[in-house]
Amino acid sequence: MRIGPHTVDPPLILAPMAGISDLPFRRICRRQGAGLAVSEMVHADTRLWHTQKSRLRLHQSGEPDPRSVQITGREPAMMAAAARAAVERGAGIIDLNMGCPARKVMSKAAGAALLGDEARVRAIMEAVVAAVHVPVTLKIRLGLDRSRINAPVIARIAQDCGVQALTVHGRTAACSYQDPVDAEAIARVRETVSIPVIANGDLFSPEDALRMRAITGADALMVGRGARGRPWIFRRMARALETGEIPPEPGPETVLAIVREHLQALYGLHGPRAGVQVARKHIGWYLQGRPGAEAVRRALLQAEDPATQLERITRYFETLPPGEDIAA
């Protein structure tokens, strides 16, 4: 798939997830087969970018091109200024968030709440596209709720405004992550426009990827929660999409190497103390479904320094029996 001058190969994208898709995780996912990784969303008010949270979300050092930065807000001029600032910091793609269903975002009439104001949607996209020389992409949901499905209309507006790719999460804002993903609705959006459409929602396995592509005809797939604790899902999905074969999960030795690389990168970005705290949630996801994980989870999550955390996670994975492996 192409987004402006950029080729996304394989056509698999890491979703922008707040508190998860930081620089270490984006880099891990790119090495594990993602063709693109979108940053955590940052607020369009650049006056807030001096905060520690925003600085870390905007950090892109060593990240492979193209670098996609997602911004959220509701004021066209502010969104345009934020897009210009992000490009000055190295962004090669600007992604507009009109799909976040979080209450704190929706309450400010931003994120998915914008889907109820098509005139403002157009004004924002026109302003941002005119403000930057890099491709602009858009992420949306199907609509505010099942009675107000307007994703095809938003898609046509986006195309008219010069947006170069569109991600559609197959749920409404009202259903958050509860209802099943409506892949057929994504397919209807795909039929509406000629720009690339990226399908998103409930992609947890290679089988899910094959099914989503078959139903939607999407140009690419975006993986969010399915990548937590399983960044190699991109490599497995890529092989399945290319060959139709379902590759095995990586074995413990391969997983341990990825986990150690990830944790050490977290310590480097966040510092030893905060890095250990951020790593805990990722460790919890890496442990999900693994034999004997519950017995060691507390000790792993109670580690208070990098050396102890690494030693305990290493000891756990070294006790696991070898399994089928794939190259990392």
Side-chain angles (χ1 to χ4, degrees), residues 97-121:
N97 183 314
M98 298 187 187
C100 180
R103 183 176 301 174
K104 65 180 180 180
V105 177
M106 296 273 289
S107 66
K108 297 177 181 178
L114 287 167
L115 299 177
D117 189 346
E118 293 170 8
R120 183 173 291 272
V121 166

Side-chain angles (χ1 to χ4, degrees), residues 15 26 74 77 82 87 92 125 146 187 248 252 259 280 290 306:
R26 295 197 304 272
R74 62 176 274 102
V87 171
M125 290 191 287
R146 295 301 302 182
V259 172
R280 287 171 181 159
R290 300 195 180 278

Side-chain angles (χ1 to χ4, degrees), residues 69-81:
V69 172
Q70 187 182 78
I71 57 177
T72 183
R74 62 176 274 102
E75 298 301 331
M78 185 178 287
M79 292 282 276

Side-chain angles (χ1 to χ4, degrees), residues 53-213:
K53 178 186 289 187
S54 291
R55 285 202 305 269
L56 291 176
R57 288 187 173 188
L58 289 161
H59 194 58
Q60 301 169 353
S61 177
E63 186 170 4
D65 291 328
R67 301 171 183 178
S68 178
V69 172
Q70 187 182 78
I71 57 177
T72 183
R74 62 176 274 102
E75 298 301 331
M78 185 178 287
M79 292 282 276
R84 285 192 296 267
V87 171
E88 290 171 1
R89 290 168 176 257
I93 298 171
I94 296 296
D95 188 56
L96 305 180
N97 183 314
M98 298 187 187
C100 180
R103 183 176 301 174
K104 65 180 180 180
V105 177
M106 296 273 289
S107 66
K108 297 177 181 178
L114 287 167
L115 299 177
D117 189 346
E118 293 170 8
R120 183 173 291 272
V121 166
R122 181 181 292 276
I124 289 171
M125 290 191 287
E126 287 178 343
V128 174
V129 169
V132 295
H133 65 276
V134 303
V136 176
T137 59
L138 174 67
K139 189 170 192 287
I140 65 172
R141 287 193 166 222
L142 298 177
L144 291 176
D145 53 44
R146 295 301 302 182
S147 68
R148 291 176 286 180
I149 299 289
N150 65 338
V153 175
I154 299 294
R156 288 192 293 270
I157 294 173
Q159 180 169 276
D160 291 345
C161 290
V163 167
Q164 298 195 38
L166 172 69
T167 299
V168 183
H169 184 107
R171 295 184 174 94
T172 67
C175 74
S176 188
Y177 297 95
Q178 305 308 313
D179 294 349
V181 165
D182 188 343
E184 287 82 5
I186 300 176
R188 289 191 287 273
V189 177
R190 177 70 184 84
E191 295 167 356
T192 301
V193 292
S194 59
I195 60 174
V197 170
I198 303 155
N200 175 225
D202 282 1
L203 293 169
F204 293 99
S205 69
E207 292 89 343
D208 292 336
L210 289 169
R211 188 179 309 111
M212 181 68 85
R213 187 179 66 175

Side-chain angles (χ1 to χ4, degrees), residues 14 17 25 29 203-204 223-234:
L14 172 67
M17 294 179 285
F25 194 58
C29 289
L203 293 169
F204 293 99
V223 181
R225 292 173 297 157
R228 298 183 308 187
R230 301 290 188 276
W232 49 85
I233 192 172
F234 295 101

Side-chain angles (χ1 to χ4, degrees), residues 12 23 40 71 99 113 124 137 139 149 170 216-217 220 224 247 265 273 304:
L12 295 166
L23 178 62
E40 303 169 87
I71 57 177
I124 289 171
T137 59
K139 189 170 192 287
I149 299 289
T216 66
R273 185 178 182 86
E304 296 183 354

